[in-house]
Structure formats: C-alpha cells, structure tokens
C-alpha cells in the first residue's frame, strides 16, 4: 500500500535517533581537537630534512645536490648551495645547503622529493596542524624549521626508517672497508708486485659517492 | 491554575490599564505584536539547533555540540568553558549572518531584490495574529474571516518567492521561483480543501470558535479533537502533507534543491537577507503547524480532561514542538521528490483524497443520529478504500526503474 515505504523509512531513522542516545559508540564522528585518530603509518603531509647527531646544522644529510628542487612538480623547493664543504656521514667532504626553503602553501605532499633524494636526506612528516596566522612569512619554512632528527623519522615511520638506516649503515660499512682496503693497498705499494686493480674500484669511482640506494 | 493559564492575558491587561484611555488600544496591539515578534523568532532559533542536532542523530553523528557561551578569555579568565550542549549555536549563526557581506548582483533589480525578504516575513507574521495560542490568547479574533485571513496572508508569501527569484537575474533563482510557484499553487488547493472540512463541521471561519468546538468530551475523558474522527484523521494527514509542501520542507523542498539549483530562489541572497529568508521559511512552518494544531489537534486544548489543569498555552506550544519534531524527522527520512512526482502527487492523489474527505465529512454531519461506532466505521471504510484505490494507481506509475542499456 502507498506509504508503507515511508513508514519503514521513518522507523529506521527513529531507530538511529533513539539508538544514538542509548549507545554512543555508533556515532562515527571523532570530535577532533578533543579526540584524535591514530594516524596511519604511511601518513604524509610535508617534507622535513633529516639530520644525524645533535647539531641540526652540522648533521644535516642534505648535500645540496638540488635534485629535489628540480623534480618537485610545483617547484616549491628553493636551495642555495654552500661555497664550502662539510663532511657527510661517511666523512667525505660535501656541499651543504646554505638556504633550503619549502613553501608550505605550494607543496602538494606528493613525496617526489623524497623518492628522488639519493642521500636519505628528505622525508615526509606526519604533522598536519600547520596553520599559521601569517600567510606570507610563516608559510615559507626555512632550513632551521625543516631540520628534524633521525629519531623523529624513526618514530613516525618506523618501517621506512629501518630501511633507510640499513641502507646508510651498509653504505658506511662499504666506505670503511674501502678505506681500509685503500690504506692496505697504499701500505703494500712499496712491494713490487703487479696487481690488477680490484673490480670494485673500477666499477665504483670514489668520486660518485655512495652507490645507488634501494628505494 | 486559572491564574497561570491566563497569566499573559492578565499581564497585558494590567499594563494596559495603567495607561490613559486613548492609548489603550494602541498599546494593547503593540504588546501582542511584540509577543509574536519575540516568541516565534526565538522558537526559530531554538528549532535550528534542535533540527541540526536531530538530523545529526538520525545520521549517527552528534550534531552541533560545541558552541556555548562566549568566554572572552582575556576579559574573564576565571569563567569556565560552558558549552550548553551546543545551544549557543544560533547566536553564533546570527552574529555570523549579521556581519557577512551583503552582496547584490550587478544585474539584479535592486528594489525588488531588497524587498523580497520583507515581503516574505510580514505576511507570515501577520498569519500568527489570528492563531489562538492559548485560551483568550489570539492577538486578533476575526470572527467572520479568521481562516480566510490566514490563507490570504499565507498566499502572499508566494509573491515574495517570485520577487526574489525574478529580481536576482539568475537562472537558478528563476527556476527555483518557478518551481516554488507551481508547487505552492498546486498544494494550496489540497491545503484549503482539507481545512474546509473543519469549517464545514465547526460552521465558523473563526479559529477561536473552531478550537472551542473541539472541547466536547468523548468517553468521559477524551477531548473531541477533530483528528479523532475519520474525516479529521484523514484531513489532518492531508493537511500535513500539503503544509509540508507549502512550507517548502523536505521532501517538497524542490524550490531550493541544493543539488540542482544551488539554493533556488534565494541563491543570490547573502548575509542577513538570507537569514531573513531562512527565518521566514521557518516562521511559515510554525504558522502552518499552528493552524494544523488549531484545526485538527484541538488548538490549546489538552488531550484528556484530567490534564485540563495545565495551562492552555503550554499545550499549544507542546503540540507545536511535536509538529516541528515530526517535520524534522520527516526531513531526516525522505529524499526530495522529482518535479513531475510532486505535481502528480498533488493533482492525482491529494486533490481527489481531499474531495472524498469532504464527502465523508458531509456524511459524518448527516449521520449525527447514528451509532457512533457505525458512523466511524463507515467513514473509515470509505477513506481507506479510496486511499487504497488511489494509492494503487499512483504506485503503479512509480515502480523501480529498469535501465535497459545501463545495467
Ligand atoms: S612533497 Fe612534492 S610538492 Fe612537496 S616539496 Fe616534495 S616534491 Fe615538492
Ligand atoms: S635531493 Fe636530497 S640531498 Fe639533494 S638537495 Fe634535495 S634533499 Fe638535499
């Protein structure tokens, strides 16, 4: 009969209405500032620069290669290369960014900068409460604001951080082994013995820095 | 109890008696007007919050529950945070709409555009003047023309809707206004025809008299509300459906269908004028609910004789509250109709039903001497049968659609 569907619908909504007062667990709303959802591990908002050790400026992993600046789709990264060099994590002297700015209002959280960085130097943060009261000054984040310790990375993205740390450790071990081998070769150079150079030394010229990292 | 029941009436008389003879009628009118202008907009403010909370609960969300009293932490750091369960929301909304920019489109007809919200509000407020909200509490008892006055004032709102739609110079507005006119005119007929049964039975157009006619007692405890008769029951529901359409409430809110018309006829209104439209719509809903209460639900009468000690105005507002709650419930349940469905429903179902209801009411009148149960049965059978027949033809038209190529 006409109207039976309406009655059914009315019963359904009445059930929801009354039920929501009896059992609040059915309400799907999370009342945000008071309650928070636990973020998924892969949450990403905005990049930050990873540094090792205690001093943010000294430990910055970024070598100012400017790959990320070129790759960033909306072109929101601005880097000025330093004139001098400082040692990186394996002890090799490298350039560092004299200026490293990212425009928060332009960044689209695509993570491409992270994907292309060969030095594990830039990663995505999960922080999302980024609003400021000054839309011109404070939305352009500088090197100091962007630098965050590796421990922060380990905390927010444990899986990714483990992979990244392992790659860096392998890298370092290789560099040390090579340094030791070089030292040995130097020491043995006095003995006249025609030695073919080791295959590794040929394939990886030291000037290229660390080999490709697993991404 | 008598004192509480008549407290507002005595209050008014008390104030008026202090004044010189010549001023008395004027002040008396002013007081009544002030009461209407204060009470119903306040009710509107309350309803907006209740509606949002109710709809929220229906959709399994908490609804607004944050805005309480403004705290001004710099001025009163000791003041605790009072949320009042979100009932401060209406004040926040009001302040917002007052401070918003009032944008008038460049192409708009400025004068008409400006006047439209007022043309909506004034007749709606006028309509309240004939509603008896309590014993001796009708601002204006038009003995000969009460109901007619109400409908005349109500019909004037259509003018406002079309003024708004036309003057905005916007296709959405115009389409919304055209829909509104088509809908309101179509539904005005069942609305008036369903009220006509009451006029036939009560033999008066005065709303005060109509309420008094319902004060008879059945079975020793039940007041003789019109809704307790077959024609009254059917008439009430027909009236309710038509009222829903008149007040542009879901499922008949086609004139302001957000999904296709942005906001219908008030698309081009912003700030306080928008708020006035909003207010006007709700006041219209209250007025027509109030009329439904007066015609069918015994007005300010209590349902049972043993509850007569409660003040009459309490009963009116309690019933009004229930009606509003029902409209909110309906809004949370039903989707919007299509325009052709709307028209079909008005002309092919509501109109014949109201006509049949008129016949049933006439039968009821002429079978006064019969056994009440028999009389009841006759009316109920006649109405149910015609409802079934009409509904069947109506339903046959709206089977679930099969999509030949899409599925
Ligand atoms: S996340 Fe994407 S948009 Fe943002 S800085 Fe990195 S590359 Fe640019
Ligand atoms: S790609 Fe990595 S190392 Fe190169 S400039 Fe960007 S953050 Fe620095």
């Amino acid at each position: 009969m006409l109207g039976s569907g309406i009655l059914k619908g009315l019963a359904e909504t009445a059930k929801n209405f009354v039920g929501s007062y009896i059992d609040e667990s059915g309400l799907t709303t999370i009342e945000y500032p008071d309650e928070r959802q636990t973020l998924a591990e892969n949450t990403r908002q905005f990049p930050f620069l990873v540094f090792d050790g205690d001093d943010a400026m000294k430990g910055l992993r970024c070598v100012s290669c400017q790959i990320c600046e070129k790759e960033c789709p909306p072109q929101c990264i601005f880097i000025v290369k330093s004139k001098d060099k400082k040692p990186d994590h394996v002890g090799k002297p490298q350039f560092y960014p004299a200026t490293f700015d990212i425009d928060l209002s332009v960044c689209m959280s695509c993570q491409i900068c992270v994907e292309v960085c060969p030095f594990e130097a830039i990663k995505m943060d999960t922080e999302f409460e980024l609003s400021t009261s000054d839309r011109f000054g404070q939305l352009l984040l500088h090197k100091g604001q962007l630098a965050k310790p590796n421990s922060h990375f380990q905390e927010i993205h444990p899986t990714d951080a483990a992979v990244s740390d392992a790659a860096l450790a392998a890298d370092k071990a290789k560099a040390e082994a090579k340094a030791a081998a070089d030292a040995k070769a130097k020491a043995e150079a006095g003995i006249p013995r025609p030695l073919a150079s080791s295959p590794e030394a040929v394939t990886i010229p030291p000037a290229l820095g660390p080999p490709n990292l697993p991404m | 109890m008598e004192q509480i029941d008549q407290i507002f009436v005595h209050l008014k008389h008390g104030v008026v008696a202090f004044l010189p003879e010549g001023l008395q009628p004027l002040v008396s009118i002013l007081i009544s007007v002030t009461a209407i202008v204060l009470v119903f907009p306040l009710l509107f403010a309350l309803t907006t919050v209740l509606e949002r909370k109710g709809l929220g609960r229906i959709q399994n969300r908490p609804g607004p529950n944050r805005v309480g009293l403004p705290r001004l932490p710099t001025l009163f750091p000791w003041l605790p945070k009072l949320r009042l369960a979100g009932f401060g929301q209406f004040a926040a909304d009001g302040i917002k709409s007052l401070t918003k920019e009032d944008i008038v489109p460049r192409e708009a007809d400025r004068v008409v555009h400006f006047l439209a919200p007022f043309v909506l509000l004034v007749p709606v407020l006028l309509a309240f003047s004939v509603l008896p909200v309590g014993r001796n509490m009708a601002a204006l008892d038009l003995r000969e023309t009460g109901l007619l006055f109400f409908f005349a004032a109500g019909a004037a709102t259509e003018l406002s809707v079309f003024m708004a739609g036309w003057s905005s110079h916007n296709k959405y507005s115009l389409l919304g206004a055209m829909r509104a006119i088509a809908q309101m005119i179509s539904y005005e007929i069942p609305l008036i025809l369903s009220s006509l049964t009451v006029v036939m039975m009560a033999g008066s157009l005065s709303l005060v008299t109509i309420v008094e006619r319902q004060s008879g007692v059945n079975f020793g405890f039940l007041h003789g509300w019109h809704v307790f008769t077959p024609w009254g029951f059917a008439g009430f529901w027909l009236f309710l459906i038509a009222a829903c359409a008149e007040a542009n409430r879901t499922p008949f809110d086609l004139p302001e269908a957000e999904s296709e018309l942005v906001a219908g006829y008030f698309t081009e209104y912003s700030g306080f004028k928008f708020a006035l439209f909003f207010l006007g719509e709700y006041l219209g809903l209250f007025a027509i609910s109030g009329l439904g209460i007066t015609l069918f639900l015994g007005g300010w009468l209590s349902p049972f004789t043993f509850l007569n000690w409660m003040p009459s105005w309490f009963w009116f507002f309690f019933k009004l509250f229930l009606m509003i709650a029902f409209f909110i419930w309906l809004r949370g349940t039903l989707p919007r109709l299509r325009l052709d469905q709307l028209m079909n429903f008005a002309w092919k179902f509501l109109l014949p039903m109201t006509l049949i209801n008129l016949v049933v009411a006439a039968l009821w009148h002429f079978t006064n001497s019969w056994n009440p149960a028999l009389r009841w049965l006759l009316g109920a059978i006649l109405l149910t049968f015609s409802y079934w027949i009409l509904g069947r033809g109506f339903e046959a038209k709206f089977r679930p659609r099969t999509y030949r190529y899409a599925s």
Side-chain angles (χ1 to χ4, degrees):
Chain A
M1 201 140 127
L2 184 74
S4 56
I6 293 177
L7 291 183
K8 236 185 268 169
L10 285 174
E12 184 66 30
T13 43
K15 206 178 74 195
N16 273 2
F17 181 80
V18 178
S20 74
Y21 282 101
I22 295 168
D23 177 18
E24 297 244 326
S25 68
L27 303 182
T28 48
T29 309
I30 291 169
E31 297 187 42
Y32 157 61
D34 302 339
E35 296 169 31
R36 274 157 195 279
Q37 215 167 9
T38 44
L39 296 172
E41 200 193 317
N42 285 339
T43 309
R44 63 173 197 238
Q45 284 301 328
F46 188 67
F48 69 97
L49 295 174
V50 190
F51 69 81
D52 296 305
D54 299 326
D55 186 346
M57 287 308 113
K58 253 194 201 132
L60 220 52
R61 286 180 187 172
C62 174
V63 300
S64 197
C65 70
Q66 293 177 310
I67 295 177
C68 55
E69 185 184 28
K70 290 192 188 86
E71 293 289 337
C72 172
Q75 294 284 297
C76 63
I77 304 180
F78 174 72
I79 300 171
V80 176
K81 212 178 206 161
S82 63
K83 296 276 183 292
D84 54 337
K85 293 190 176 188
K86 73 171 176 58
D88 67 356
H89 66 291
V90 291
K92 198 145 46 103
Q94 297 274 24
F95 290 109
Y96 60 91
T99 308
F100 197 116
D101 295 341
I102 305 182
D103 193 334
L104 177 55
S105 57
V106 178
C107 173
M108 59 184 192
S109 308
C110 65
Q111 200 178 323
I112 284 178
C113 49
V114 176
E115 307 289 347
V116 298
C117 176
F119 298 92
E120 305 282 326
I122 189 165
K123 295 289 172 194
M124 296 304 277
D125 204 346
T126 52
E127 175 66 40
F128 58 91
E129 287 155 321
L130 297 163
S131 54
T132 67
S133 51
D134 172 15
R135 68 187 161 129
F136 297 111
Q138 288 176 24
L139 286 178
L140 187 68
L141 298 190
H142 303 298
K143 191 167 69 169
Q145 294 153 287
L146 289 169
K148 284 180 190 161
N150 194 27
S151 56
H152 175 69
F153 183 38
Q154 285 161 345
E155 196 181 304
I156 56 172
H157 295 310
T159 319
D160 284 355
V163 174
S164 156
D165 286 346
L168 284 176
D171 205 16
K172 196 165 182 180
K174 207 177 239 171
E176 270 163 12
K178 202 168 127 33
D182 280 355
K184 206 168 150 209
K186 220 175 239 174
E188 284 173 359
I191 303 162
R193 205 172 93 186
L195 187 74
S197 54
S198 76
E200 281 153 81
V202 175
T203 49
I204 307 166
L208 275 182
N212 289 340
L213 296 166
M215 285 309 291
Chain B
M1 279 309 125
E2 177 67 26
Q3 284 302 316
I4 296 182
D5 186 21
Q6 295 297 302
I7 183 164
F8 298 114
V9 180
H10 289 326
L11 223 62
K12 183 176 138 186
H13 287 176
V15 172
V16 170
F18 274 115
L19 295 161
E21 194 84 22
L23 271 179
Q24 279 185 5
L26 194 70
V27 172
S28 161
I29 291 167
L30 259 177
I31 291 176
S32 303
V33 169
T34 318
I36 289 173
V37 170
L38 278 184
V39 169
F40 288 98
L42 259 178
L43 199 65
F44 156 73
L46 193 68
T47 308
T48 53
V49 182
L50 282 179
E51 172 153 30
R52 290 170 66 181
K53 283 175 101 66
L55 287 180
R57 290 288 172 163
I58 283 173
Q59 296 160 2
N60 281 328
R61 345 174 243 109
N65 61 358
R66 302 202 152 254
V67 186
L69 291 181
R71 202 159 67 94
L72 307 175
T74 39
L75 283 183
F76 315 103
W78 37 265
L79 213 67
K81 205 176 202 157
L82 287 177
R83 279 205 176 144
L84 306 179
F87 277 92
Q89 186 75 44
F90 70 87
D93 286 345
I95 293 168
K96 184 193 79 172
S97 69
L98 268 177
T99 51
K100 263 181 147 177
E101 186 185 354
D102 175 30
I103 300 166
V104 182
R106 191 174 352 119
E107 295 288 305
D109 185 333
R110 279 166 185 279
V111 181
V112 183
H113 189 269
F114 176 80
L115 280 179
F118 302 98
V119 174
L120 178 67
L121 208 56
V122 170
V124 170
L125 285 173
L126 277 180
F128 280 110
S129 63
V130 287
L131 280 184
V133 298
R135 191 176 283 122
N136 306 329
M137 278 169 74
L140 196 64
D141 179 16
L142 296 174
R143 285 266 150 212
E144 305 291 325
T145 54
L147 191 63
L148 203 61
F149 176 81
F150 187 97
F151 282 130
T157 57
E158 277 151 47
L159 177 67
S160 145
V161 168
F162 203 72
M163 278 167 74
W166 180 257
S167 67
S168 296
H169 213 282
N170 171 323
K171 55 181 180 256
Y172 296 121
S173 306
L174 190 58
L175 277 174
M178 278 157 64
R179 282 183 177 193
I181 296 298
Q183 167 179 334
M184 285 177 162
I185 289 178
S186 309
Y187 279 84
E188 203 133 275
I189 298 164
L191 187 78
I192 293 175
L193 283 182
S194 57
S195 328
L196 211 57
T197 52
V198 176
V199 179
M200 279 165 61
M201 300 310 282
S204 166
L205 277 169
S206 155
L207 294 177
V208 176
T209 317
I210 287 173
V211 173
E212 276 158 11
R213 289 285 151 84
Q214 298 181 59
S215 61
V217 178
N218 294 330
F219 313 119
F221 66 95
L222 199 65
H223 271 303
W225 295 2
H226 286 147
V227 76
F228 299 140
T229 58
W231 60 267
F233 184 77
F236 174 64
W237 289 107
L238 292 169
F239 180 89
L240 209 63
I241 294 168
C244 205
E246 278 294 296
N248 291 337
R249 292 284 302 185
T250 332
F252 304 110
D253 59 347
L254 282 99
E256 50 207 79
E258 300 91 354
S259 50
E260 58 241 44
L261 291 184
V262 190
Y265 56 87
F266 52 65
T267 302
E268 293 291 0
Y269 283 87
S270 53
F272 199 63
K273 284 189 206 152
F274 177 81
L276 279 184
F277 266 113
F278 203 48
L279 174 72
E281 293 235 308
Y282 272 84
L283 290 187
L285 178 71
F286 298 160
I288 213 140
S289 304
L291 184 68
I293 291 165
T294 308
L295 293 182
F296 296 101
L297 299 183
W300 42 261
L301 288 167
S302 63
F304 307 114
T305 41
F306 54 83
L307 287 176
N308 275 350
W309 54 271
M310 281 166 129
S312 55
W313 40 267
F314 165 80
W315 281 114
F316 182 85
F317 282 100
F318 180 68
K319 288 172 194 172
L320 189 58
F321 174 77
L322 287 186
M323 291 280 276
I324 294 167
F326 180 75
F327 279 120
I328 294 173
W329 185 14
L330 219 54
R331 178 169 176 196
T333 306
L334 297 178
R336 186 180 301 130
L337 289 180
R338 227 170 42 216
L339 194 66
D340 61 327
Q341 293 171 340
L342 178 96
M343 286 298 163
N344 274 327
F345 188 63
W347 295 102
K348 296 190 180 161
F349 180 80
L350 276 188
L351 186 64
M353 270 314 279
T354 44
L355 289 174
I356 291 164
N357 198 31
L358 277 181
V359 176
V360 173
L363 263 179
W364 182 266
H365 184 66
F366 288 120
T367 54
N368 214 352
S369 51
W370 289 22
N371 178 349
L374 201 66
R375 220 171 145 209
W376 231 103
L377 207 68
L378 179 71
I381 286 174
L382 261 175
L383 282 167
T384 322
F385 182 71
S386 40
Y387 176 79
W388 180 66
I389 292 278
L390 283 173
R392 230 172 51 130
F394 199 65
E395 256 181 335
K397 265 191 76 105
F398 296 112
R399 293 193 179 291
R401 274 206 228 175
T402 48
Y403 294 92
R404 245 194 329 148
Y405 300 111
S407 59

